[in-house]
Structures are given as C-alpha cells and as structure tokens.
C-alpha cells in the first residue's frame, strides 16, 4: 500500500450534526481537506465514511498517520521535517563553496551551491551563508559590502542596489523589520567551507513545462533565442525538453538573428520554428525577422518574456506593451496569465502559425512561467484540431480554366513561392502544354534551369529569357504568385491565377480568371483533363535559342575586368558549377541579390530569401536556420548550406559567425566585398543624387572568421576563386569566402 500524502501537520475541526455523514480523505491529495473530493481516483485509496453520533465539533486528522481514523490521535506531533522533505522530494546536499582560510574578515562574495546562489560572509572569524537575493528587489547581496558602525559591534551587510541592511550571519534586518534573508547551514571542514541546500529529487511540472511539451507535440522542435532575466522559467522548460531529445535550442547573439533563423527554417521546411527573447528590447529586436516571416507566409512562433504582472502598467524597467507592439505582425498574440488556460493558449498559437502560415506570439510574465501545473493537467497537441486542407476549385472555375488552356497557342506557366512543394503536376502540365515555365525570384530553383522548359526568373532579378517568353505568350497560367511589382508579371496578358489564398487572387490588379484552390490538386486536374494534343505551339526550340543568346551574353560579361575586383557574372558562374545540386542557398538583399538572380543557374538547389520585406542582413541568420533543418528534417538531412551576401548585409549580423562556430554549423558564406552599399549608390546615381554615405569601413573578414574559430579565405583574383570555394565547401564547419568584388560589374 502506498503512503498517504501528509496534507497538513494540524487537525482540522469540522462542525457536524447528529446523523450527518461525511467522507474522510485517506489519500491526502484532496483540495477539500479533510474531506474527499475524488482525488484518489485511479489510486489504491478509498475514502472513509464517518457519521456523527451527536452535534459536535470533530477534529479530523490531516496528516493521515492517525490510528483512530478519521479523527486525530496526535500522530501529527511525531512527523519530522525529514518526512516532510522526503514527501516534497527534497534532499539536503552539501556543496564546497570556498577553500580553507579563503574568506577574509569583513568579506562577502557570491558563490554557487548547486542551483542556489549564496552570499557567503565572514565576520569575526565566523562564516555565514545568506540567500543572495535581497527581498526588496532581488539585489545581489554577494556584491554588497559589510559595514560596521564605528565604536559599536553592529555590523551590517548592505545591498549594493538600494542600501538595505542585513546581519551578515543571521540575515536579520535591523530594528523592528521582519523582512530578513534566508540563511543556510555552514560547516568548516578541513578541506574548505561547505554550505547545505535542499534540492528537489522530483521535478514539479510547471505551466511552462506543459506549454513547451505542447509546442513540441505540434511539431515545433527548434528554438532560436537568447536566455535572459525575464524568460528564465520558460527557458528552463525548453532546457528540459532538449535534455529529453525532443527539442533543439540554438542560442544566438542578437534576437533579430533568432527571428531570421526561425523564418529561414520555416521557409525551407514549411514547418514552424520558434524564437525566444526577454521582455522589452529583446522582444522588439525580433520584429524585423518576424515581419520577414509574415509577409512571406512562413510559420513562426515567437515566445517573449515579460515583467511581473504586479508591476505591469506604470512602466517598470524593460516594460513595454508587447501585445500592442506585436499586434500588427502576429495573427495571434496573447499574454499568458495566472488563470489562463495555459495549454490551450499554446494549442491556439501553434495552430495559427501552421494553418495561417503566419506569426503567432505568446507573452510570458516572469512569475507565471514557474507556476505549478495543476494535478492531472496534460500537454496538448494537434490531434482533432486540423482538417484536410486539400481543396479543388469550383467546377465552373475548372471548366473555364480548361477551355482557356485549350484555346491558347503560346501559353506560359509562371510559378511563385506559393507553388513550393507542388511542382510535380505543374511540370506535368507544362510538358503537356509544351509551355515554358517561368518563376518569380522568390521561386527561383523550383524548376532546374537545365530543364527543357525552364525559362528562368522574371522581374528585376531575372533574365531576358523569362521576359521574352512572357512577352510572346497569349495566356499566362500563374500558380502561387502575387503579382507585386518585383515579380515582373505583366497585367496586359490574359491570365489564369491559381492560389489557395483568396486574398492573393487579383491582389494587385484584376485577372481574367481567378481560381481558388490548392495548387497541386488544380494542376493535376488540368493535366488529366487536357487532351494529349492541345494544339499549342512547341516552344522548346525557341526557348533553347533564347538561353543560348543569354549564356553568350553572360560569357561576354565574365571577360570584363576594370582591375577593381571580380565581376559578379564570373563569381556566380563559378558558384553555379561548384554548389551541390541539393544545396540550400540563402541570399541577402543588395546588388548580390540581382546578380545571383541573373547569373546563378539552379540545378535543384533550394533558394531562400527575404522576399516581400527585402531585409538586408537576412542571409547568414537564415542559413543558420537552414542548417538546423538539415540536422532534423529527413528531406533536408546532410544538405550543403550556403549563404550569399554583400559586406553591408553580413556586417549586420557578423557576430553570429561565432554562433555558427559554437554549434559546429557546416555552412559556407560567400561575401561580395566592395566596401560599399553598392545598391544604394547605384540608386543615388540613377536618381541624379550625389553618392553620399554609402562607403563602408570593413575589417579583414577572412581574418575575422579565423579569429572566431572558423575558416576564412580572402579572394582577390578570379584565378583563386574556384579553389577557395572548393576549400570552403569541403570544410567541416563555418567557412567564409571574402571575395573582392567590383561594385559596378554586377
């Protein structure tokens, strides 16, 4: 028979009438002591029936040790502190905190005894051990000083923050104050000073524990963030999940990088990642990366600390209105309160991120993070909460699209980022229509450039091949693209637009036929419904001719040399040759972006970029997120990760190179170094502005990478470029190739 829980060490008087019957709790778990509330269910305990013989006050046992159950027999007087500690899962552990004779008289220092921070003191040859946190506002007493009143024996340990005083040995306050500091047993042994603390042998689940497990159950297994004073309880819950192998945590140097890494992870995999910050500035640092995720429809969960609820409102240190700050960027943003349905909040946050492909946000006040979970509370998950989101368009829409395709002689297919993962039947359809496949820049790589129907990228970062095909077409069939100005999709051609997001259809201008439906299913239906011979012109020969024209032009550009660095055409031709076909490439914003779009020919690589937000600094943190995905997701395991940026973009998050070294990230960064914000100076000249404040003062980036513990290679000659890239790609760890680039030959 298991031991009953000691509910209390005092009996409980209960007034009863003659003949009145009650049921006494035997398990000790009832919240309605001393009476049963059903908490024994599922155990070996059963409640005890008691009927009062007369009107009287009856003293019911609460220690559950009585021999005269259910009434008290005084057994509670025999209960020891050791029994209570054992029940609470506590054990006394002695820790050595100082060497013999190491403490000088009048000295105080902060030491660690297990998880407990201790202010160790010495006064008159005696050693004291006090809780290191001042009860006023948590000031570190171990950083204070012992001050004695002249001419008296009164000596006080003074808190360094606000001057509160405590006796160095007893922890008592002066005068009549009753807010002293807890003390710990001390032993002076031959080998040093020892302090005893009580440690729990059983972890008591917190609301953060349940919420972290719920997050994992929804498939969120990677968190990028920074641990700090207002998220420690939540961070510990994440630590426990990592210890169990359910989750991977990557500690970054700047919260902006955490959000970009989470966004990169989500863009690559389609699965949500999380980012963690403290309250105030840590939380606001997340916003740029979260906006990047939002506008590119990448699912991300943001977890932010917050100050204690008791000081919310007046403007406490690092307090800002996080709910308001995150409202524009997060489709779901809620504060976790003491009486919240904690697990349900995490369920809703995860569902919003996944279903809406958006940012969800939870705010964790400091004290709420460590609240004990209720007995019987369990983690949540997606079971019964997600339906089948595969949806065919309406019959009329399908029939109209089919007829227009049958009538078209020179159709082209344009795919955007929304068609990611749905390309199988898009390509089948293209082959039946003999139609070129063009991509937006965000969708670069979704069809390999060596495919017979590939026409390259449209828009500002595109090729003349794609624009020629679009201009010669008589019908555009567009899958998963938004028609923003950067896409380059003309509004002057008859257009069928297919998308699973109703708001995207006709977003920038009306289209002839907007079709609401899942892209893969719609493409498959059209492919199956079309006859084998649609009557469309076979455009493959023309397409091959246009590619040859463009490749000849690229070859001519590779010969350009002003003696001021390597031209972009040569750089990306070399990278096209050497980058593995399965590589993941994160591309930054700037001239490097346009050059990559024009010159790099994909052979199956996945391309990540800051699309609609167009944020400089994206590439390297996103590459860290991609690397994390290669460690966890079977579809991306062991893939090579490459990032490309200019010197301006890398400079924003270059400290994260140390993060990459710390976690052994196998990634290669290709840096186009022209000591200039080249895109901006180009725009200044184009707008007839003076070129102003675009020059950059750069360190030796290769030497910097080496000093961080990675590989750094500086390339000043085209002759050295291929070998440098080969070395970097073969290196097991973070590598940086610092390429001296010509700012004008882009």
């Amino acid at each position: 028979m298991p031991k009953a829980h000691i509910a209390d060490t005092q009996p409980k008087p209960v007034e009863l009438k003659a003949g009145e019957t009650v049921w006494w709790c035997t398990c000790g778990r009832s919240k309605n002591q001393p009476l049963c509330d059903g908490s024994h269910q599922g155990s070996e305990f059963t409640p005890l029936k008691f009927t009062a013989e007369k009107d009287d006050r009856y003293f019911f046992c609460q220690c559950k040790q009585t021999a005269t159950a259910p009434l008290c027999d005084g057994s509670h007087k025999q209960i020891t502190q050791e029994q209570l500690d054992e029940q609470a899962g506590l054990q006394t552990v002695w820790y050595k905190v100082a060497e013999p004779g190491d403490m000088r008289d009048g000295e105080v220092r902060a030491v660690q005894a297990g998880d407990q921070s201790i202010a160790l003191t010495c006064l008159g040859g005696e050693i004291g051990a006090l809780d290191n946190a001042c009860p006023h506002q948590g000031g570190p007493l171990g950083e204070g000083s012992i001050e004695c009143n002249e001419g008296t024996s009164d000596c006080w340990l003074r808190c360094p923050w606000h001057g509160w005083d405590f006796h160095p040995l007893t922890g008592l306050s002066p005068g009549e104050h009753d807010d002293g500091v807890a003390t710990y047993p001390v032993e002076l042994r031959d080998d040093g000073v020892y302090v005893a603390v009580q440690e729990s042998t059983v972890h008591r689940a917190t609301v953060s524990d349940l919420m972290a497990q719920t997050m994992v159950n929804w498939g969120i297994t990677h968190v990028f963030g920074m641990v700090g004073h207002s998220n420690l309880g939540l961070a510990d819950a994440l630590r426990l999940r990592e210890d169990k192998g359910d989750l991977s945590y990557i500690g970054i140097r700047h919260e902006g990088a955490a959000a970009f890494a989470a966004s990169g992870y989500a863009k690559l995999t389609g699965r949500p990642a999380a980012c963690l910050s403290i309250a105030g500035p840590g939380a606001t640092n997340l916003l740029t990366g979260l906006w990047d995720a939002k506008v590119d429809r990448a699912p991300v969960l943001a977890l932010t600390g917050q100050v204690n609820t008791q000081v919310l409102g007046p403007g406490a240190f690092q307090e800002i209105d996080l709910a308001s700050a995150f409202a524009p960027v997060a489709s779901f943003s809620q504060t976790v309160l003491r009486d919240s349905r904690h697990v349900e909040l995490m369920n809703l946050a995860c569902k919003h991120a996944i279903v809406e492909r958006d940012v969800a946000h939870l705010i964790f006040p400091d004290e709420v993070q460590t609240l004990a979970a209720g007995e019987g509370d369990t983690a949540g998950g997606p079971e019964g909460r997600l339906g089948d989101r595969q949806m065919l368009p309406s019959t009329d829409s399908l029939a109209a699209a089919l007829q227009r395709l049958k009538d078209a002689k020179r159709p082209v297919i344009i795919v955007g980022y929304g068609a990611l993962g749905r390309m199988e039947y898009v390509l089948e359809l293209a082959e039946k229509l003999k139609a070129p496949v063009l991509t937006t820049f965000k969708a670069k790589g979704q069809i390999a450039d060596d495919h017979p129907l590939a026409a390259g990228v449209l828009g500002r970062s595109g090729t003349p091949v794609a624009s020629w095909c679009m201009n010669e077409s008589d019908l555009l069939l567009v899958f998963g693209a938004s028609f923003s100005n950067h896409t380059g999709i003309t509004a002057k051609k008859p257009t069928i637009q297919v998308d699973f997001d109703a708001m995207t259809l006709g977003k920038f201008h009306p289209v002839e036929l907007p079709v609401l439906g899942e892209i893969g299913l719609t493409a498959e239906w059209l492919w199956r419904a079309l006859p084998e011979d649609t009557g469309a012109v076979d455009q493959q020969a023309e397409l091959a001719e246009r590619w040859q024209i463009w490749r000849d032009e690229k070859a001519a550009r590779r010969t350009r040399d002003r003696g001021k660095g390597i031209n972009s055409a040569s750089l990306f031709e070399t990278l096209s040759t050497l980058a593995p076909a399965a590589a993941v490439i994160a591309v930054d914003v700037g001239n490097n972006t346009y050059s990559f779009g024009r010159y790099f020919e994909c052979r199956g690589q996945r391309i990540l970029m800051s699309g609609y937000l167009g944020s400089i600094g994206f590439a390297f943190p996103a590459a860290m997120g991609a690397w994390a995905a290669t460690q966890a997701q079977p579809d991306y395991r062991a893939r090579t990760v490459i990032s490309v940026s200019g010197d301006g973009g890398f400079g924003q998050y270059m400290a994260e190179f140390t993060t990459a070294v710390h976690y052994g990230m196998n990634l290669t960064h290709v840096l186009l170094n022209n000591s200039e914000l080249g895109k901006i100076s180009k725009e200044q000249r184009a707008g007839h502005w003076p070129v102003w404040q675009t020059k950059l003062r750069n360190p030796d980036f290769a030497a910097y990478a080496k000093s961080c513990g990675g590989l750094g290679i500086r390339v000043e000659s085209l002759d050295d470029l291929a070998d440098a890239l080969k070395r970097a790609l073969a290196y097991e760890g973070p590598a940086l190739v610092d390429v001296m680039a010509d700012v004008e030959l882009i």
Side-chain angles (χ1 to χ4, degrees), residues 5-25:
H5 184 80
I6 301 171
D8 203 341
T9 56
Q10 294 292 328
K12 179 72 172 288
V14 179
E15 300 281 352
L16 296 175
K17 299 289 186 182
E20 186 175 354
T21 297
V22 295
W23 293 87
W24 177 66
C25 166

Side-chain angles (χ1 to χ4, degrees), residues 220-504:
I220 302 177
T221 59
H222 281 75
V223 181
F224 306 87
M226 182 175 289
V227 175
H229 69 275
S230 58
N231 66 21
L232 295 179
L234 177 58
D236 195 62
L238 298 176
R239 177 190 64 81
L240 291 172
R241 297 266 57 84
E242 185 173 56
D243 288 347
K244 291 182 178 294
D246 297 337
L247 179 146
S248 293
Y249 182 87
I250 295 176
I252 46 67
R253 304 295 293 267
H254 190 280
E255 294 89 351
F260 276 131
S263 180
Y265 182 103
K267 289 178 183 182
L268 178 63
T269 66
R271 300 164 66 93
C275 49
L276 171 73
S277 80
I278 65 166
T284 57
N285 282 343
L286 294 175
L287 288 173
T288 300
L290 294 180
W291 272 108
D292 174 77
K294 182 180 185 67
V295 298
D296 284 351
R297 305 296 300 274
V300 171
L301 175 65
L303 309 170
T304 62
Q306 181 58 290
V307 301
N308 287 341
T309 52
Q310 68 186 37
V311 297
L312 273 174
F317 177 69
Q318 294 194 329
E319 179 202 350
I320 64 169
D321 184 352
L322 291 178
S324 297
F326 279 71
V329 75
S331 65
F332 180 87
S333 183
Q334 294 291 330
T335 301
V336 182
L337 300 174
R338 177 177 293 273
D339 295 326
S340 295
R341 297 174 63 192
H342 305 106
V343 168
E344 192 60 19
L345 282 181
M346 182 60 79
N347 278 327
L348 288 170
C350 294
K351 184 173 181 178
H352 274 80
I354 293 168
V355 173
E356 298 185 10
R357 299 192 308 157
D358 210 328
V359 174
H361 174 223
L362 289 174
I363 306 163
F364 291 81
D366 202 356
E367 87 282 5
V368 175
Q369 299 170 36
T370 54
L371 288 177
E375 287 193 35
D377 289 352
T378 58
E383 295 76 16
R385 294 177 181 269
L386 295 175
D388 187 354
R389 287 175 284 164
Q390 302 292 307
M391 167 179 74
L392 267 175
S394 69
T395 302
D396 289 347
S397 293
L398 289 170
L402 182 63
Q403 188 58 54
R404 284 165 172 79
L405 288 173
K406 288 179 178 179
D407 295 339
K409 298 301 180 186
R410 296 183 65 88
V412 299
I413 293 175
I414 302 175
V415 295
Y417 181 69
L420 180 66
R422 302 165 176 87
M423 290 297 295
E424 178 185 357
Y425 287 109
V426 172
L427 294 179
E428 295 276 12
L429 179 61
E431 289 167 1
K432 183 173 279 191
L433 290 168
K434 305 178 182 64
V437 179
L438 295 56
T439 78
T440 64
F441 188 31
K442 281 177 63 180
K444 183 177 175 68
Q446 288 178 206
I447 178 174
D449 285 322
D450 58 4
H451 190 286
L453 291 173
V457 173
L458 272 173
R460 301 180 185 183
S461 306
T463 67
V465 182
S467 49
W468 185 90
C469 289
M470 182 177 66
N471 293 338
E472 295 297 316
S473 69
D474 61 359
L475 179 68
L476 308 182
L477 175 57
V478 183
F479 291 105
S482 69
F483 294 75
S484 79
N485 57 332
H486 276 66
T487 64
I489 304 174
T490 181
K492 299 178 180 179
K493 297 283 185 178
T495 300
I496 303 170
Q497 183 186 3
V498 182
D499 210 287
F500 48 79
D501 182 0
M503 292 302 296
T504 300

